[in-house]
């Protein structure tokens, strides 16, 4: 069925409805005219994007972005942020994986999926986080939610119809209530998704005379229930208490079709692999916080506890057809992964009259994961069973001094972290992984104010990036009889040293930075000659270094407001197991253009892309993505028509040679979309009194 004809009709009806309602809105019956003045409203056009020292802040609540159906897709629209094709990872260009904070609380991808866009007030991309933030990551994405300060309530209902290759639907409900010292918030979302994905890999093992290529296509049927609630109670002017819980239940049924051509010396096999998969991913996160303000000495104390749980199960039935014969059952793969994380922390902040602020605090967290798989082989009628237990304990303490000396703003901090790791298969007597290490993470920032419009800042930071818990499991995904995707229980963290300088002129800025990574994590191939199986998994390579030159250029002219980011990068990745190709500069660019039109219309057109990337080992092809949206606000209704990936160009290509394996990969993301969003809200929305913090500093690893 051709979906473009009904789509065109829907768009025409949508535009006709907007025109009709706008006309009706402007018409006032004569007998309804009154001299009584009910309300006086002072309106001001707020900037969607602001830039301070390269830190970009986005006003989501008062922009067209509040109509995007989920927070992960919202982040993908913002400058320098890129989302992986499986939507499990976030990259800040030139910075790698960021920390994610919601209301100054440490969060992760699961929390993002459980967060309603209707609850988001602003998003800030912090390029140089201080020691107050943990050493994990070189940048921070800070999300601030909106709540009410005065006695009030708000209710919002949203519906988004999304037309991609298949139809997707997002239904959301958000409710907030505040009375005296008590504030409640509740959200519930149901998403019915039908994503499509495709990828292929063509690889050769020259010393083994093997050439193989496969193409995978998956059509999923996903049911998602996202819900949560929070309670905030202000005991008195100096004491407050809060409790929040959120959850996401994900059920995914998807068949995978794989077409493989494998040549091993003189033997040539064409294989069709069909696998029926039933996945379940359930996440719950809760935290309890208490804040105490001691006004006599201008001090604030925060204490909190947090518990998170992620439970994933996967059941797969695999069958193969060799050379157009017949399908035969190959395996039943039953895999389970579960991680529980408990943490507690305390922070103390003291302000002095001399504009100095001293902060210090500590944290303890404990993570326990279990990774089990049971594989039944039909040809031998045997089971392969494995149980792997992993435990990690982190203890951290930090201190930070910030203030102003003459015309210099400064922030100096030091963080110390101790990590204990124990990994053991149940069948083994001795542990396979046994580590205990302590590291120091200094950070410093100095800003020299030249005048009211210009400033120069210098930054230094040492940071760490730890693998997420599921990457440290022994799970594996069956692609075809010759190829597996697998976790790596031996992954080590990556350590980064970075120095940068930023020149700010009004809202424009230019930043130059240099970084060095030790043990960076990238994908690699491992070939087992005895079983004739290739395994693709993440590994630690030797080193990575690079320069970034970042330009942030916003400006406005009449009805037009534009935000532009240009990053020139030179990255060099090296490893003894890989063939070093070449390292050349490449460019990332982003442009967002907003037009405020008459009669409460807003039109936004934006694009981003990158030139061809040569990073020493890895080569990525160039890409260019363009989106457009039209929004209309009518009293308590908001209508948005969006067209994403207009030219159907979200295709990623990569090639590299590592462990004597030469590979070319192609990933096709089904991002081409036409969506219609309708949102109705009533009640009043004011500033929030919520001042929570996440306790678990490793929560982004819970996946």
């Amino acid at each position: 069925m051709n979906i473009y004809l009904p789509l065109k009709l829907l768009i025409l009806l949508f535009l006709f409805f907007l025109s009709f309602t706008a006309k009706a809105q402007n018409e006032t019956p004569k007998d309804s005219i009154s001299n009584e003045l009910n309300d006086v409203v002072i309106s001001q056009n707020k900037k969607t994007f602001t830039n301070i020292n390269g830190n970009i802040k986005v006003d989501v609540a008062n922009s067209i972005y509040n109509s995007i159906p989920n927070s992960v897709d919202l982040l993908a629209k913002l400058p320098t942020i890129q989302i992986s094709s499986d939507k499990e990872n976030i990259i800040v260009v030139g910075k790698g994986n960021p920390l994610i904070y919601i209301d100054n609380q440490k969060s992760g991808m699961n929390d993002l999926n459980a967060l309603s866009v209707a609850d988001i007030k602003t998003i800030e991309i912090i390029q140089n986080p201080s020691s107050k933030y943990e050493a994990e990551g070189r940048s921070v994405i800070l999300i601030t939610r909106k709540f009410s300060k005065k006695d009030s309530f708000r209710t919002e209902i949203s519906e988004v119809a999304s037309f991609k290759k298949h139809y997707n639907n997002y239904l959301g409900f958000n409710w907030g209530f505040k009375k005296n010292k008590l504030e409640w918030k509740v959200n519930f979302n149901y998403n019915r998704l039908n994503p499509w994905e495709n990828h292929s890999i063509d690889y050769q093992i020259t010393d083994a005379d093997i050439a193989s290529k496969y193409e995978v296509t998956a059509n999923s049927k996903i049911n998602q229930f996202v819900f949560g609630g929070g309670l905030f109670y202000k005991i008195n002017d100096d004491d407050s208490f809060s409790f929040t819980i959120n959850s996401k239940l994900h059920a995914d049924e998807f068949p995978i079709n794989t077409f493989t051509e494998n040549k091993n010396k003189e033997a040539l096999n064409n294989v069709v692999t069909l696998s029926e998969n039933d996945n379940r991913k359930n996440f719950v996160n809760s935290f309890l916080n208490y804040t105490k303000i001691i006004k006599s000495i201008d001090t604030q104390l925060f204490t909190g506890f947090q518990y998170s749980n992620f439970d994933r199960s996967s059941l797969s039935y695999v069958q193969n057809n060799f050379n157009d014969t017949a399908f035969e059952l190959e395996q039943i793969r039953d895999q389970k992964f579960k991680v529980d994380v408990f943490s507690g922390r305390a922070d103390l902040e003291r302000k002095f009259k001399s504009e100095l602020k001293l902060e210090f605090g500590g944290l303890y967290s404990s993570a326990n994961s279990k990774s089990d798989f049971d594989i039944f082989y039909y040809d031998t009628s045997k089971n392969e069973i494995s149980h792997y237990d992993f435990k990690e304990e982190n203890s951290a303490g930090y201190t930070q001094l910030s203030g102003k000396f003459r015309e210099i703003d400064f922030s100096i901090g030091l963080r110390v972290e101790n990590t204990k790791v124990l990994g053991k298969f149940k069948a083994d007597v001795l542990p396979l992984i046994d580590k205990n290490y302590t590291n120091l993470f200094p950070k410093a920032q100095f800003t020299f104010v030249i005048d009211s419009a210009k400033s120069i800042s210098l930054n230094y930071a040492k940071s760490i990036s730890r693998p997420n818990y599921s990457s440290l499991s022994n799970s594996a995904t069956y692609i075809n009889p010759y190829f597996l995707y697998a976790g790596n229980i031996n992954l080590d963290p990556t350590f980064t040293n970075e120095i940068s300088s930023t020149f700010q002129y009004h809202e424009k800025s230019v930043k130059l930075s240099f970084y060095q990574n030790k043990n960076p994590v990238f994908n690699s191939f491992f070939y087992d000659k005895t079983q004739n199986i290739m395994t693709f998994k993440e590994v630690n390579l030797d080193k990575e270094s690079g320069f970034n030159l970042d330009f942030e250029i916003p400006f406005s002219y009449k009805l037009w407001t534009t935000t532009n980011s240009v990053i020139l990068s030179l990255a060099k990745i090296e490893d003894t197991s890989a063939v070093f190709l070449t390292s050349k500069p490449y460019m990332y660019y982003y442009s967002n253009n907003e037009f405020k039109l008459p009669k409460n219309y807003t039109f936004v057109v934006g694009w981003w892309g990158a030139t061809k990337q040569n990073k020493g080992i890895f080569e990525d092809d160039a890409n260019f993505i363009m989106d457009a949206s039209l929004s209309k606000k009518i009293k308590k209704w908001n209508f948005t028509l969006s067209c994403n990936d207009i030219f159907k160009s979200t295709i990623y290509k990569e090639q590299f040679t590592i462990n004597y394996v030469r590979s070319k990969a192609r990933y096709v993301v089904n991002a081409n979309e036409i969506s219609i969003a309708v949102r109705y809200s009533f009640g009043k929305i004011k500033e929030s009194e919520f001042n929570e913090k996440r306790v678990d500093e490793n929560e982004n690893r819970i996946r």
Side-chain angles (χ1 to χ4, degrees), residues 81-129:
I81 294 180
Q82 293 184 311
I83 308 296
S84 64
S85 58
D86 59 3
K87 295 190 177 183
E88 292 291 337
N89 287 288
I90 297 178
I91 297 292
V92 174
V93 176
K95 289 285 188 176
N97 298 111
L99 293 172
I100 303 170
Y101 272 76
I102 300 176
D103 287 339
N104 288 322
Q105 307 163 41
K106 181 67 173 62
S107 305
M109 290 299 296
N110 287 304
D111 287 289
L112 282 178
N113 286 307
L115 176 66
S116 171
V117 173
D119 276 342
I120 299 176
K121 182 179 179 182
T122 61
I123 297 177
E124 185 173 4
I125 306 167
I126 303 174
Q127 298 285 356
N128 299 295

Side-chain angles (χ1 to χ4, degrees), residues 646-668:
I646 296 173
F647 300 113
K648 299 183 179 180
S649 53
T650 308
I651 301 173
Y652 302 99
K653 296 180 180 180
E654 182 181 64
Q655 60 179 351
F656 59 95
T657 301
I658 195 166
N659 285 331
Y660 305 103
V661 180
R662 186 170 65 249
S663 165
K664 292 182 179 180
R666 182 176 183 266
Y667 300 88
V668 181

Side-chain angles (χ1 to χ4, degrees), residues 8 21-22 96 119 140 152 159 179 235 276 344 350 354 365 370 554 591 605 698:
K8 291 178 181 178
T21 51
D119 276 342
V140 170
S152 59
E159 165 66 17
K179 181 68 174 177
I235 302 170
E276 297 291 336
R350 172 76 188 277
S354 55
S365 68
K370 295 183 180 297
S591 182
V605 60
N698 293 292

Side-chain angles (χ1 to χ4, degrees), residues 202-213 262-265 482-483 525-529 532-535 657-663:
D202 185 349
Y203 65 90
Q204 296 85 37
I205 312 173
T206 53
D207 62 344
D209 194 17
I210 291 176
S212 184
K213 58 182 178 181
N262 183 270
K263 178 181 177 296
N264 189 338
K265 296 182 175 62
Y482 316 103
F483 202 97
F525 291 100
F526 295 88
Y527 177 63
D528 186 336
K529 292 183 178 180
N532 189 26
I533 292 179
M534 179 72 76
T535 301
T657 301
I658 195 166
N659 285 331
Y660 305 103
V661 180
R662 186 170 65 249
S663 165

Side-chain angles (χ1 to χ4, degrees), residues 379-441:
D379 57 345
T380 61
S381 298
K382 292 183 178 180
N383 283 76
E384 179 184 352
I385 300 175
S386 174
H387 302 284
Y388 180 72
D389 294 337
F390 176 85
K391 183 176 182 179
E392 181 179 291
E393 293 182 353
N394 286 289
S395 302
Y398 77 92
T399 181
Q400 177 172 288
L401 181 66
S402 58
K404 186 172 184 178
F405 177 74
R406 295 181 180 177
E407 299 301 319
I408 302 176
D409 295 320
F410 68 90
S411 174
I412 303 173
L414 179 67
R415 190 177 189 92
V416 57
E417 295 188 359
N418 173 261
T419 303
K420 298 178 182 179
V421 179
L422 191 68
K424 180 180 177 297
F425 286 98
K426 287 186 177 180
D428 294 342
V429 177
L430 297 176
L432 182 66
I433 308 294
D434 191 355
K435 301 176 183 178
N436 187 343
Y437 54 89
T438 301
N439 297 102
L440 297 176
F441 300 96

Side-chain angles (χ1 to χ4, degrees), residues 60-61 63-70 74 117-118 156 158-161 170 629-631 638-642 675-679:
V60 177
S63 70
I64 199 170
Y65 293 110
N66 60 24
S67 63
I68 297 175
N70 64 78
L74 167 60
V117 173
E156 184 170 287
S158 62
E159 165 66 17
V160 179
Y170 304 83
S629 299
L630 177 66
S631 178
N638 189 291
F639 303 88
T640 303
L641 173 66
S642 299
S675 67
I676 299 176
V678 180
R679 185 162 53 106

Side-chain angles (χ1 to χ4, degrees), residues 429-556:
V429 177
L430 297 176
L432 182 66
I433 308 294
D434 191 355
K435 301 176 183 178
N436 187 343
Y437 54 89
T438 301
N439 297 102
L440 297 176
F441 300 96
K443 291 189 177 183
Q445 178 172 327
F446 299 92
T447 302
F448 304 88
V449 179
I450 301 173
D451 55 36
S452 60
K454 298 186 288 293
S455 66
I456 296 176
S457 65
L458 298 174
N459 303 275
Y460 168 76
K462 181 180 179 181
S463 60
I464 186 173
S465 177
R466 297 183 177 92
N468 64 66
Y469 296 118
S470 61
S471 295
L472 296 170
S473 71
N474 63 336
S475 60
T477 301
Y478 185 98
I479 301 299
N480 60 44
Y482 316 103
F483 202 97
L484 294 174
Y485 280 87
N488 184 358
I489 60 179
N490 293 301
L491 274 180
D492 288 324
T494 300
F495 292 90
T496 301
N497 283 281
E498 182 176 18
I499 185 170
S500 64
S501 179
T502 304
F503 173 71
Q504 178 91 18
Y505 178 69
H506 292 291
E507 285 195 340
K508 301 174 178 63
S509 67
V510 57
K511 176 182 178 180
L512 177 64
S513 61
F514 171 74
Y515 69 92
Q516 286 183 325
N517 289 340
K518 180 183 177 182
N519 297 328
V521 175
F522 291 94
N523 291 317
S524 182
F525 291 100
F526 295 88
Y527 177 63
D528 186 336
K529 292 183 178 180
T530 59
Q531 298 186 26
N532 189 26
I533 292 179
M534 179 72 76
T535 301
F536 191 62
K537 62 183 178 181
E538 292 182 327
V539 298
N540 293 103
L541 301 185
D542 291 340
K543 57 183 177 179
E544 177 187 9
S545 60
F547 290 91
N548 293 309
L549 185 60
D550 184 349
F551 297 89
E552 301 296 333
I553 314 170
F555 65 88
S556 299

